[in-house]
Amino acid sequence: MKGKRTFIKQTFFMQIFLLWAWPMLCQTSFSGKLVDHTGKPVSEAYIINKSDETYSYSDEFGQFVLKDARVGDSIEVGALGLKKEWILVTDKTVNRDFIVVMTEDVYQLREVIVRPTLNTLNEIIDVDLAKTPVKSSQEILRKVPGLFIGQHAGGGKAEQMFLRGFDLDHGTDISINVDGMPVNMVSHAHGQGYADLHFLIPESIKSVDFGKGPYYAEKGNFNTAGYVDFETKNVLNENVAEIQLGSFGLKRGLGMFNVVNTNEDKAYLASEIIASEGYFESPQDFERINLFGKYSHLFSNGSRLTVGANHFQSTWNASGQIPERAVLSGLIGRFGSIDDTEGGTTSRTSMNLGFNTVFENDVNLKLSAFVTNYQFQLFSNFTFLLNDPVNGDQIKQEENRLLSGFDLRLSKTFDLEDKSLTIKAGTGVRNDDIKDIELSRTLNRNSTLQNVQLGDITERNTYAFLSGKLKWKTWLMNFGLRLDGFSFKYADFLQNSSTNERTADMLFSPKLNLVYTPNNKMQYYIKSGVGFHSNDTRTVLQSTNQKLPKAYGVDLGAIWKPMEGLLFNAALWTLQSDQEFVYVGDEGIVEPNGKSARYGLDLGVRSQLNNQIFLYADATYSHARSLEAEQGMDYIPLAPGFTLSGGLQFSKMGNFSGGLTYRYLGNRPANEDFSIAAEGYFITDMNMNYAVNNNISLTFGIENMFNTKWKEAQFVTNSRLLGEEVAIEEIHFTPGTPFSIRTGLRYVF
């Protein structure tokens, strides 16, 4: 009887204990992986426990851990451009193999969550891109807040770029990549860092990742003012056939078709053909063809292999940059030319491979490899009859390049009680083998009068980096160290074909960033780091100056989202360069400009009034000065001061969608004492789409709808025209696009 009472008492206390301890016994960590409908990991998604409002985010491999979840809790999972998912925590869902498959949805500003990450503003581009169509891949660069571009060679040459007080030329201080493949060309025949994005079909772009400043250990050469990385789609949601016609003989054809679309294998092909006479008096005869294909395979263990290949070729004529005096005197019209024999040809054939996997010890591996065969030939005449009054000053720049390399990265996340630490290590190499790189004086694009430079270049960049990301509560600290080694070799055929000049250099680049996110509506951050851009091999071997001049940057900023449909961002920044020391490819000379300092303010606002109407605006102010010039002579030519861009877009208003976009670039110094100004401009464009049915739509667009007379590219140049006894220094410019329209018919199936 006593034993029975003891058993009953023990059972009673056990029941009381279980009732008291049950919540803790059921408390666990809910973890798993997020993927889209193609099996690709979904990064930076939010995972919120609606029972207690605790939250977490997925990493770049789609993995997440939500601590202190209990059986019965309701979990909300969301990501930009993907439908929300709701999950009930059960004893069956509590394991590391739990996978959430997310499906596509329209991009909405309310899905942008302020989170403890280095680049929250990246998602803004994806919203802008979804709301505002673009007509070219190069134009997508304008989606980066504060980044401006300008064309000045008939549409065939890479555009001139401006960002944060930099005239980036064609890419000297901005790193650009596509699917892990570098776009910038080192020691290029025309200009250091030359980045031609015309090989990228705009409709193939899935997302754009960007960052301003030299704050990212994964980014190396040319990442001073910032970086822009493009990722192409792994699969098409629908096949597309489109034809466009426009002003000045514009014709564009687009075709994108799925070839394979199974759970394990995805493949599609895309092609783009463009032709235009241009708006100049001399026909531009511009032609371009792009071919692109991509294949991806999802292995049973979750690993993914992607293979992409593209071929691009383009030919064009150009009217060149014209002197103001020739237009004002009536010698030529605004769209006329002094020498209309300019132009060029270029081609690029590339293949890249990507492989992602996760090992049993949760170590993530990401590998990319690439090879590119590239040709370039450009004819220009900037000074007309200054150097050769008989034959003229036409020059030819030419090269044949084989670019190859790989990038290998390993990362692992460690749970440290209330903290998480992600360690990432990487290494890689890039090799540029450039044959017959040439600068020559020519006549009518046919006869070579004189070789100024001719030789072979071999340049290699080997690098390694280590970074850490420590998260605890509302704080994130990111630290990193990058090591870059360069070797430069030049065989000068004009001096001695058997003579090879060689040199090498090495550079350490530390980074330290701190982010404070008290809630999902507010974030403060401070970023700091050292970046660099390499100099042209011929510059390095001609001078004892720095081969890898450093740039030191600091950003202090905030992001505020007071309500679902409204977001503000602001950043104060400064960037100092050790040496603005560049190779002037047009003349084959070294131009040392000394140290420089820049500081400025970036402001942005996005507002989604409802599901149909979206507004945005970005304003920037930059102050750029040379530190080694006397006061009043320290302006940096063409450095932008004030810029403004924005637009209004509407969608699904009946069968219509479209909007207006604008961009303003203020007056800026064209020379060192600002005695000559490069005129600013304000341009407005319009686009419209009408859905006839679910498969057919009509498109209509206007570029420069108010027919503003503007100068797209401007340079102070010393030139001489026929009949002039002395040279004159003044603004030479390429006129911007006049009022033009384009219409299209699009069929999806």
Side-chain angles (χ1 to χ4, degrees):
M1 198 63 188
K2 183 178 180 181
K4 185 176 181 181
R5 285 197 300 271
T6 302
F7 174 77
I8 293 174
K9 187 184 295 184
Q10 290 174 340
T11 303
F12 173 77
F13 282 114
M14 180 63 71
Q15 291 173 337
I16 295 296
F17 172 77
L18 289 174
L19 288 173
W20 171 78
W22 177 252
M24 289 185 292
L25 291 174
C26 292
Q27 184 171 310
T28 183
S29 292
F30 178 64
S31 59
K33 183 177 181 179
L34 307 179
V35 298
D36 62 17
H37 67 287
T38 71
K40 188 176 184 296
V42 176
S43 62
E44 299 299 336
Y46 63 84
I47 302 94
I48 300 178
N49 188 336
K50 303 303 290 186
S51 302
D52 58 9
E53 295 300 320
T54 58
Y55 60 89
S56 179
Y57 303 100
S58 60
D59 62 20
E60 63 178 306
F61 294 93
Q63 297 175 340
F64 68 90
V65 177
L66 185 63
K67 295 184 177 180
D68 300 332
R70 297 176 174 86
V71 173
D73 285 352
S74 180
I75 308 298
E76 177 186 339
V77 180
L80 186 64
L82 297 171
K83 292 182 180 179
K84 288 183 180 179
E85 300 289 340
W86 294 87
I87 304 166
L88 182 65
V89 179
T90 68
D91 54 354
K92 294 182 179 180
T93 60
V94 181
N95 60 74
R96 293 286 294 183
D97 296 326
F98 185 72
I99 296 179
V100 181
V101 180
M102 307 186 72
T103 56
E104 288 193 352
D105 197 5
V106 294
Y107 282 76
Q108 302 288 352
L109 185 62
R110 63 171 176 264
E111 297 298 336
V112 176
I113 302 297
V114 180
R115 64 195 70 193
T117 183
L118 277 183
N119 286 326
T120 299
L121 293 180
N122 274 339
E123 295 186 347
I124 286 178
I125 283 193
D126 292 333
V127 175
D128 291 353
L129 188 60
K131 300 297 182 183
T132 311
V134 294
K135 62 180 182 292
S136 69
S137 56
Q138 200 86 10
E139 189 178 289
I140 293 178
L141 290 170
R142 289 189 179 133
K143 297 300 180 184
V144 176
L147 178 59
F148 274 60
I149 66 171
Q151 176 58 259
H152 58 99
K157 193 168 72 173
E159 279 80 355
Q160 183 182 16
M161 293 177 275
F162 304 92
L163 179 68
R164 284 201 160 181
F166 279 88
D167 169 14
L168 301 169
D169 194 21
H170 299 289
T172 306
D173 285 283
I174 185 169
S175 170
I176 300 178
N177 297 272
V178 175
D179 289 337
M181 180 174 56
V183 178
N184 301 81
M185 295 295 180
V186 299
S187 302
H188 190 268
H190 182 67
Q192 178 69 341
Y194 187 90
D196 185 354
L197 265 175
H198 293 138
F199 70 91
L200 183 59
I201 300 174
E203 288 83 357
S204 70
I205 298 172
K206 180 181 185 296
S207 63
V208 184
D209 172 30
F210 81 95
K212 296 182 182 180
Y215 310 128
Y216 317 97
E218 296 88 350
K219 308 302 176 185
N221 200 7
F222 305 114
N223 176 215
T224 50
Y227 77 88
V228 184
D229 288 351
F230 296 89
E231 181 186 1
T232 59
K233 298 173 181 176
N234 282 336
V235 65
L236 303 178
N237 293 328
E238 52 197 11
N239 301 314
V240 179
E242 183 173 8
I243 185 169
Q244 295 179 354
L245 301 174
S247 302
F248 314 114
L250 173 67
K251 306 175 187 67
R252 179 179 186 251
L254 172 72
M256 301 180 69
F257 309 101
N258 276 312
V259 178
V260 179
N261 192 356
T262 67
N263 291 335
E264 294 80 19
D265 297 288
K266 315 284 184 183
Y268 69 91
L269 296 174
S271 63
E272 177 191 44
I273 300 176
I274 302 176
S276 174
E277 294 301 309
Y279 51 87
F280 298 89
E281 293 177 11
S282 296
Q284 303 299 286
D285 296 325
F286 171 71
E287 295 180 354
R288 179 194 303 156
I289 181 170
N290 283 332
L291 302 173
F292 176 65
K294 192 172 184 181
Y295 166 78
S296 65
H297 176 74
L298 182 64
F299 295 91
S300 58
N301 63 355
S303 301
R304 175 175 290 276
L305 171 71
T306 61
V307 180
N310 79 279
H311 175 72
F312 148 79
Q313 62 187 49
S314 180
T315 63
W316 70 96
N317 297 321
S319 292
Q321 297 152 28
I322 56 177
E324 283 190 323
R325 63 186 185 277
V327 178
L328 294 176
S329 67
L331 178 63
I332 61 172
R334 181 175 179 82
F335 301 106
S337 64
I338 300 298
D339 181 355
D340 64 356
T341 63
E342 297 191 20
T345 63
T346 186
S347 68
R348 177 177 181 137
T349 304
S350 302
M351 178 171 288
N352 64 292
L353 177 148
F355 180 72
N356 298 336
T357 191
V358 180
F359 298 111
E360 292 184 358
N361 56 1
D362 293 333
V363 172
N364 299 290
L365 179 145
K366 185 175 182 179
L367 170 67
S368 62
F370 53 87
V371 60
T372 296
N373 182 268
Y374 171 82
Q375 285 83 37
F376 175 85
Q377 185 184 71
L378 178 68
F379 294 91
S380 310
N381 188 350
F382 303 107
T383 54
F384 311 122
L385 298 170
L386 176 65
N387 301 312
D388 188 340
V390 176
N391 298 302
D393 297 348
Q394 185 181 88
I395 61 171
K396 177 176 73 170
Q397 295 164 312
E398 185 172 8
E399 68 167 66
N400 298 283
R401 178 187 304 249
L402 182 65
L403 165 64
S404 59
F406 74 89
D407 181 275
L408 174 65
R409 303 179 183 187
L410 296 171
S411 64
K412 180 177 174 62
T413 299
F414 301 89
D415 291 327
L416 308 173
E417 297 182 355
D418 61 338
K419 305 177 185 66
S420 69
L421 174 64
T422 300
I423 299 294
K424 181 180 292 186
T427 186
V429 64
R430 167 183 173 157
N431 190 77
D432 289 77
D433 188 9
I434 312 166
K435 299 295 185 184
D436 300 319
I437 186 165
E438 176 184 354
L439 171 63
S440 297
R441 305 201 183 281
T442 55
L443 176 64
N444 295 325
R445 296 172 64 167
N446 295 316
S447 304
T448 298
L449 304 177
Q450 178 191 7
N451 291 129
V452 180
Q453 289 183 328
L454 182 63
D456 289 347
I457 291 176
T458 301
E459 183 173 328
R460 179 170 297 161
N461 175 203
T462 305
Y463 59 86
F465 67 85
L466 179 67
S467 67
K469 184 170 62 176
L470 180 64
K471 288 185 179 181
W472 75 101
K473 297 181 180 178
T474 57
W475 292 88
L476 179 147
M477 182 173 70
N478 172 258
F479 50 90
L481 180 64
R482 183 181 180 93
L483 172 64
D484 282 270
F486 279 80
S487 64
F488 306 91
K489 175 184 173 182
Y490 180 46
D492 190 341
F493 295 166
L494 301 183
Q495 297 298 322
N496 188 331
S497 60
S498 63
T499 300
N500 293 323
E501 299 179 80
R502 303 169 183 263
T503 190
D505 202 0
M506 187 174 292
L507 180 72
F508 285 95
S509 306
K511 327 280 182 176
L512 181 61
N513 309 293
L514 191 63
V515 180
Y516 173 57
T517 312
N519 51 56
N520 59 8
K521 295 183 178 181
M522 195 74 204
Q523 181 182 102
Y524 308 92
Y525 61 83
I526 181 169
K527 301 179 181 180
S528 62
V530 178
F532 72 98
H533 75 249
S534 65
N535 280 317
D536 187 284
T537 291
R538 291 159 292 183
T539 294
V540 169
L541 296 172
Q542 289 176 29
S543 172
T544 58
N545 283 275
Q546 298 180 43
K547 306 175 184 69
L548 306 171
K550 295 181 180 179
Y552 308 85
V554 176
D555 265 42
L556 180 63
I559 301 171
W560 181 37
K561 191 179 182 186
M563 58 185 68
E564 278 193 342
L566 185 63
L567 185 144
F568 299 94
N569 65 276
L572 286 167
W573 59 270
T574 182
L575 189 66
Q576 296 196 32
S577 299
D578 272 349
Q579 178 65 268
E580 300 223 355
F581 182 71
V582 296
Y583 171 77
V584 184
D586 299 335
E587 301 177 32
I589 62 173
V590 175
E591 190 175 88
N593 295 323
K595 295 182 179 181
S596 66
R598 293 170 171 84
Y599 61 82
L601 173 66
D602 294 349
L603 297 172
V605 60
R606 265 115 185 112
S607 176
Q608 188 158 357
L609 303 183
N610 50 44
N611 288 340
Q612 286 79 39
I613 301 177
F614 177 73
L615 300 95
Y616 70 98
D618 292 291
T620 70
Y621 168 75
S622 304
H623 180 275
R625 293 291 186 272
S626 172
L627 296 179
E628 297 182 358
E630 60 181 272
Q631 189 172 2
M633 295 289 294
D634 56 352
Y635 292 93
I636 298 177
L638 301 182
F642 180 72
T643 71
L644 177 67
S645 60
L648 180 151
Q649 296 295 318
F650 65 90
S651 60
K652 297 183 179 179
M653 288 189 172
N655 292 347
F656 287 94
S657 61
L660 295 172
T661 60
Y662 62 86
R663 60 189 186 276
Y664 169 75
L665 178 64
N667 291 349
R668 57 199 191 280
N671 57 354
E672 288 78 2
D673 62 0
F674 210 163
S675 60
I676 304 177
E679 296 178 5
Y681 56 80
F682 187 97
I683 303 298
T684 305
D685 300 330
M686 184 269 283
N687 65 84
M688 189 74 65
N689 183 84
Y690 177 76
V692 178
N693 53 43
N694 291 334
N695 302 101
I696 300 174
S697 60
L698 303 175
T699 61
F700 177 76
I702 299 177
E703 191 170 353
N704 191 4
M705 63 184 301
F706 298 115
N707 201 26
T708 301
K709 291 183 177 180
W710 62 296
K711 299 172 181 176
E712 188 161 12
Q714 301 173 70
F715 301 91
V716 170
T717 305
N718 203 31
S719 68
R720 186 169 64 174
L721 304 179
L722 184 65
E724 293 180 338
E725 295 183 0
V726 296
I728 297 176
E729 184 180 66
E730 65 172 356
I731 285 286
H732 291 57
F733 69 95
T734 299
T737 308
F739 177 91
S740 60
I741 63 173
R742 95 166 38 193
T743 60
L745 175 65
R746 185 181 181 93
Y747 177 62
V748 300
F749 56 98

